[in-house]
Amino acid sequence: MKRPKLQIALDHNTLASALADVKKIGEIVDVIEVGTILCLQEGSKPIECMRKMFPEKTIVADTKCADAGETVAGNVAQAGADFMTVICCASLATMQAAQKKVKALQVELYGEWTMEQAKKWREIGISQVVYHQSRDALLAGEVWGEKDLKLVQQLIDLGFQVSVTGGLSISTLALFQGMPIFHFIVGRGLTACADPIIQAQAFQNEIKRLWGE
Ligand code: 5RP
């Protein structure tokens, strides 16, 4: 089974603070995400910066786009993003339009969505989803557990590459052992700790321990 990749979510309010963190750990992680907050605050600029700094890495623009898919996808692709996210309640037309402009489109699974919708996403050629515990759900006391694993497995069975995110810590990773997770997306678990370099290395070591080299 392929080892899951480690994706940092740069959910900073300013490009300057995102740069401070990514300079430390950008080379340790596999994938760099310009998070929703940073996209909203700084537009395309952080995507352009990440592309220049990390020409070989996959760059994700976490726009959680809901409309104007082709325009938004065109803009982030031109800035240097490989992947872009749309929110699961976006219309199929928005998803199809966005898909034309990026290497891969990822559907962000938040709130209400169904496996019937997921089948339709597969039918229009979408192969990536992000299974998400929202910040607000986690704050309201939700935890990762069996219900999540079941849904992730069903999505894998439909043929999706499934990334997971939302309050992940090193100890959460073991829950997914044996599953072909695509990317573990980690924000605060990397950026809000005392030593992001040691922490990023520890995440990578745990992924290797659980999935092999
Ligand atoms: C919020 C996001 C975050 O980027 C993602 O969930 C990672 O954040 P954290 O690890 O800090 O929970 O998409 O909408």
Side-chain angles (χ1 to χ4, degrees):
M1 187 180 299
K2 222 171 159 189
R3 174 157 48 89
K5 290 189 169 162
L6 178 61
Q7 175 172 330
I8 182 171
L10 298 171
D11 284 318
H12 302 70
N13 273 315
T14 64
L15 177 55
S17 55
L19 285 172
D21 276 332
V22 85
K23 276 181 191 157
K24 288 183 209 151
I25 57 176
E27 291 300 346
I28 304 172
V29 301
D30 305 297
V31 178
I32 300 193
E33 170 192 315
V34 177
T36 312
I37 296 167
L38 193 54
C39 286
L40 289 170
Q41 291 291 100
E42 301 269 10
S44 292
K45 215 175 347 154
I47 304 171
E48 288 163 1
C49 265
M50 297 311 140
R51 176 46 69 215
K52 281 202 189 106
M53 289 170 78
F54 303 102
E56 306 302 329
K57 292 207 190 252
T58 300
I59 309 286
V60 182
D62 187 17
T63 54
K64 296 189 178 70
C65 179
D67 195 11
E70 186 165 352
T71 305
V72 175
N75 291 344
V76 301
Q78 197 179 355
D82 301 294
F83 301 167
M84 170 188 137
T85 64
V86 286
I87 196 70
C88 54
C89 59
S91 68
L92 290 181
T94 295
M95 295 182 187
Q96 277 171 314
Q99 259 195 116
K100 289 189 217 151
K101 298 284 180 178
V102 284
K103 288 183 195 148
L105 190 70
Q106 305 185 318
V107 180
E108 283 261 348
L109 305 175
Y110 260 119
E112 302 294 317
W113 58 275
T114 65
M115 285 295 163
E116 287 315 305
Q117 280 176 290
K119 284 178 193 159
K120 291 204 175 106
W121 303 330
R122 286 296 293 137
E123 280 165 21
I124 62 165
I126 291 175
S127 61
Q128 297 187 16
V129 291
V130 180
Y131 185 90
H132 208 129
Q133 289 269 24
S134 82
R135 284 186 180 207
D136 298 334
L138 289 164
L139 282 173
E142 284 272 338
V143 287
W144 286 99
E146 202 52 45
K147 67 174 191 335
D148 304 299
L149 300 182
K150 271 193 191 147
L151 289 169
V152 169
Q153 188 57 55
Q154 284 177 38
L155 291 161
I156 291 169
D157 293 342
L158 284 181
F160 286 107
Q161 292 175 307
V162 183
S163 298
V164 295
T165 189
L168 293 179
S169 63
I170 292 171
S171 60
T172 331
L173 303 185
L175 272 178
F176 301 93
Q177 190 175 19
M179 300 176 90
I181 300 301
F182 188 46
H183 297 173
F184 284 115
I185 307 172
V186 185
R188 292 159 296 173
L190 286 169
T191 58
C193 61
D195 191 332
I197 298 176
I198 289 177
Q199 187 76 349
Q201 204 54 68
F203 263 100
Q204 288 287 34
N205 291 344
E206 180 68 351
I207 292 171
K208 284 181 188 152
R209 186 183 76 78
L210 295 165
W211 277 269
E213 296 283 333

